[in-house]
């Protein structure tokens, strides 16, 4: 078996096209232009790349977008004051505080200070809690993007065994909840789990741990759908995921490449969260 690649770039482009169409309708019918404000503290190189990609996507779909780029020496109170100003600005529908923040800042407090209805990342405790309770909520972008990829390849989680490797608040936990809402039987794995045994049971496998090629291809259940969220740079400069790609592709039915799989979807779903926030604000 040779797995079909899940083209995250192509799916993300479709999502952005859908958003662009809705933005045009929102402007024409209600005079509202969605606005996304990104806060990037300091000079973390990866954050700069991510924010540039987010700004480009915002412009493509027709949003207003702003980048606030305070120095790494900003105090907690000063950053909270900036978040408060953005909370009160009616032109801003989505706020994203780019992580990681410098060590002297309390990221949890900053994220909690963002109004839940403007939380473009879906990280606010209220949105996380509503997801847990099965209520409408702004969803964390990466796992929501994974759900769209599954939909695109015709993979209905209902009745399937889904294994999520990683239990982070950003991907693993919300991913498990989203799969559970779609009636999958979900197992969440961590460093104390018997990974080979658990992975071998997975009809749907989502891996998000940040360890290069942790999950071996030989563990994959034949015909499984494999979603690799990881992106790791090896010593030779090559980008690899958390799954041993070549060997896994020999057993899976569908698999995401790294890069070009899940990554583009994260930004696309951020745009979707911001659009939905603007739609709610205009009601």
């Amino acid at each position: 078996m040779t797995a079909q690649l899940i083209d995250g770039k192509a799916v993300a482009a479709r999502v952005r096209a859908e958003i662009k169409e809705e933005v045009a309708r929102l402007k024409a019918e209600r005079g509202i232009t969605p606005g996304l404000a990104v806060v990037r503290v300091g000079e973390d190189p990866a954050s700069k790349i991510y924010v540039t990609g987010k700004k480009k996507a915002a412009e493509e779909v027709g949003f207003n977008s702003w980048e606030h780029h305070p120095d790494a020496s900003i105090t907690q109170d000063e950053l909270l004051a900036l978040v408060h100003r953005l909370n009160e600005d009616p032109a801003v529908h989505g706020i994203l505080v780019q992580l990681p923040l410098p060590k002297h800042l309390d990221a949890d407090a900053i994220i909690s200070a963002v109004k839940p209805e403007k939380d473009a990342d879906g990280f606010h405790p209220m949105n996380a809690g509503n997801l847990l309770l099965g209520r409408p909520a702004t969803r964390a972008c990466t796992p929501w993007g994974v759900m769209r990829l599954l939909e695109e390849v015709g993979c209905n989680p209902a009745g399937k065994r889904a294994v999520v490797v990683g239990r982070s608040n950003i991907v693993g936990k919300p991913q498990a909840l989203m799969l559970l809402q779609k009636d999958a039987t979900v197992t969440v794995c961590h460093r104390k789990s018997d990974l080979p045994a658990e992975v071998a049971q997975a009809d749907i496998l989502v891996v998000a741990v940040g360890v290069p090629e942790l999950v071996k291809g030989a563990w994959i259940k034949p015909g499984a759908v494999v979603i690799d969220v990881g992106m790791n740079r090896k010593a030779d400069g090559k980008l690899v995921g958390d799954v041993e790609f070549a060997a896994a592709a020999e057993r899976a039915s569908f698999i995401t490449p790294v890069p070009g799989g899940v990554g583009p979807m994260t930004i696309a779903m951020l745009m979707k969260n911001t659009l939905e926030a603007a739609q709610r604000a205009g009601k």
Side-chain angles (χ1 to χ4, degrees):
M1 177 181 294
T2 302
Q4 293 186 52
L5 288 183
I6 305 175
D7 189 342
K9 286 184 179 178
V11 177
R14 282 198 289 279
V15 172
R16 292 195 305 272
E18 293 165 7
I19 293 168
K20 186 174 182 178
E21 191 175 309
E22 283 301 313
V23 169
R25 183 177 296 117
L26 197 60
K27 288 180 181 178
E29 295 180 1
R30 293 156 62 186
I32 296 171
T33 299
L36 174 64
V38 178
V39 179
R40 176 170 69 92
V41 180
E43 294 297 341
D44 180 78
S47 291
K48 185 174 183 179
I49 293 169
Y50 295 146
V51 168
T52 299
K54 290 164 183 173
K55 286 173 65 179
K56 182 180 176 183
E59 290 165 7
E60 179 187 338
V61 299
F63 287 1
N64 291 326
S65 68
W66 305 272
E67 180 184 353
H68 297 267
H69 183 205
D71 188 80
S73 63
I74 191 172
T75 67
Q76 181 90 356
D77 286 345
E78 288 169 340
L79 187 52
L80 285 169
L82 172 57
V83 169
H84 179 70
R85 289 198 301 274
L86 296 175
N87 279 338
E88 299 307 313
D89 186 344
V92 174
H93 301 100
I95 301 170
L96 181 149
V97 179
Q98 182 65 48
L99 302 176
L101 292 174
K103 287 185 167 55
H104 69 281
L105 298 171
D106 183 344
D108 288 342
I110 300 298
I111 290 167
S112 296
V114 175
K115 280 186 175 180
E117 60 268 28
K118 292 193 176 189
D119 166 33
D121 259 333
F123 294 165
H124 192 283
M126 186 172 290
N127 286 320
N130 281 330
L131 176 64
L132 174 66
L133 296 172
R135 296 173 180 169
T138 302
R139 296 175 175 237
C141 301
T142 299
W144 196 21
V146 170
M147 299 306 291
R148 176 64 183 259
L149 291 177
L150 294 175
E151 183 184 320
E152 288 281 333
V153 300
C155 178
N156 180 1
K160 293 185 172 65
R161 185 174 292 276
V163 173
V164 178
V165 182
R167 54 181 171 183
S168 72
N169 294 332
I170 292 173
V171 182
K173 290 175 185 175
Q175 188 71 77
L177 291 169
M178 291 180 200
L179 286 162
L180 191 62
Q181 285 183 354
K182 292 295 184 180
D183 299 319
T185 300
V186 183
T187 299
V188 179
C189 294
H190 44 78
R191 60 175 53 90
K192 299 294 186 182
S193 303
D194 181 349
L195 268 187
E198 298 294 351
V199 168
Q201 303 297 315
D203 303 307
I204 299 169
L205 176 66
V206 182
V207 187
V209 288
V211 179
E213 299 175 323
L214 172 71
V215 173
K216 304 307 176 188
W219 303 348
I220 305 296
K221 180 179 180 180
V225 177
V226 177
I227 308 290
D228 190 348
V229 180
M231 184 175 291
N232 314 284
R233 192 172 297 277
K234 298 178 78 173
D236 61 5
K238 183 183 177 184
L239 284 174
V240 298
D242 293 345
V243 177
E244 188 184 33
F245 179 84
E250 293 178 3
R251 297 171 67 85
S253 58
F254 292 92
I255 190 168
T256 55
V258 176
V262 176
M265 294 302 298
T266 299
I267 294 179
M269 304 319 278
L270 172 71
M271 300 302 120
K272 192 167 178 67
N273 277 344
T274 304
L275 170 65
E276 292 185 354
Q279 290 170 326
R280 290 192 300 270
K283 286 182 179 177

